[in-house]
Amino acid sequence: MKEFYTKNKKGIKIGLAVFFIIIIISSIWLFIMPTFKTNKYGNRLKDLDKHKISNKTISEIKSKANENDSVLKISYHREGRIINISMTVDSNFGVDQAKEFANGLLSLFKDEDKSYYDIQVLIKANDKSENYPIIGYKNKNSDSLNFSTGGN
């Protein structure tokens, strides 16, 4: 055994070094990887399945927008507990009318969903406008949208 060690001293040291490097890398990998497997929202979405926004509600939002000639385009997107609605309106559409229309969209959601989700409505004009864009935000604890303008 002593002869084997003396003849292969360099190879044994390299083998042990590679073995320990593999152990260290796998330990780091196992320590870091569990965080990648978890949901980025943690347990904040645990009741999400109880508050699904139905396709009917989404189509009602779109049909209400189609009924208004000044609303040219509308889109819906949900990310976690935030609902994003983006609207493109005619640049001649009054700001107060746009805000009223956006607040009217809230009535299409169930009360329990309104108290679960934060809702954002981005209203932008089809042409350059001093009055647009406008963003409305409703926290899950509030009843209506609060608006801020991004126009000049």
Side-chain angles (χ1 to χ4, degrees):
M1 184 74 160
K2 192 173 185 179
E3 283 181 33
F4 177 77
Y5 176 73
T6 55
K7 288 182 182 179
N8 300 307
K9 191 185 260 185
K10 190 174 185 180
I12 292 172
K13 287 181 181 179
I14 291 173
L16 285 173
V18 169
F19 175 75
F20 285 116
I21 289 173
I22 290 172
I23 295 291
I24 291 169
I25 290 174
S26 62
S27 297
I28 292 171
W29 180 264
L30 292 173
F31 180 73
I32 292 174
M33 282 311 291
T35 60
F36 291 129
K37 292 179 184 176
T38 61
N39 187 336
K40 68 180 179 179
Y41 295 104
N43 65 354
R44 292 174 284 182
L45 302 180
K46 65 182 176 195
D47 295 332
L48 186 64
D49 55 338
K50 297 177 186 173
H51 298 280
K52 294 273 186 197
I53 302 299
S54 68
N55 289 333
K56 180 184 174 201
T57 303
I58 296 168
S59 59
E60 286 175 352
I61 291 170
K62 291 180 179 181
S63 67
K64 186 170 182 174
N66 290 335
E67 291 171 6
N68 191 323
D69 293 335
S70 296
V71 178
L72 306 175
K73 182 179 168 188
I74 191 163
S75 64
Y76 163 91
H77 174 72
R78 185 190 58 79
E79 178 73 28
R81 288 179 73 166
I82 299 174
I83 295 174
N84 294 300
I85 298 172
S86 180
M87 295 188 328
T88 303
V89 298
D90 189 305
S91 57
N92 296 323
F93 195 40
V95 172
D96 291 333
Q97 292 172 307
K99 290 178 181 179
E100 185 178 322
F101 181 81
N103 267 316
L105 293 177
L106 294 180
S107 66
L108 301 174
F109 293 98
K110 293 186 246 172
D111 288 336
E112 56 267 12
D113 291 337
K114 286 190 277 189
S115 64
Y116 182 78
Y117 289 101
D118 292 346
I119 300 173
Q120 299 181 133
V121 179
L122 173 66
I123 307 170
K124 53 191 174 193
N126 62 338
D127 295 325
K128 286 194 173 195
S129 173
E130 293 180 3
N131 300 323
Y132 294 99
I134 301 171
I135 189 161
Y137 180 78
K138 187 199 90 55
N139 182 279
K140 66 181 182 176
N141 298 321
S142 62
D143 296 327
S144 63
L145 293 165
N146 293 317
F147 289 94
S148 63
T149 54
N152 296 331

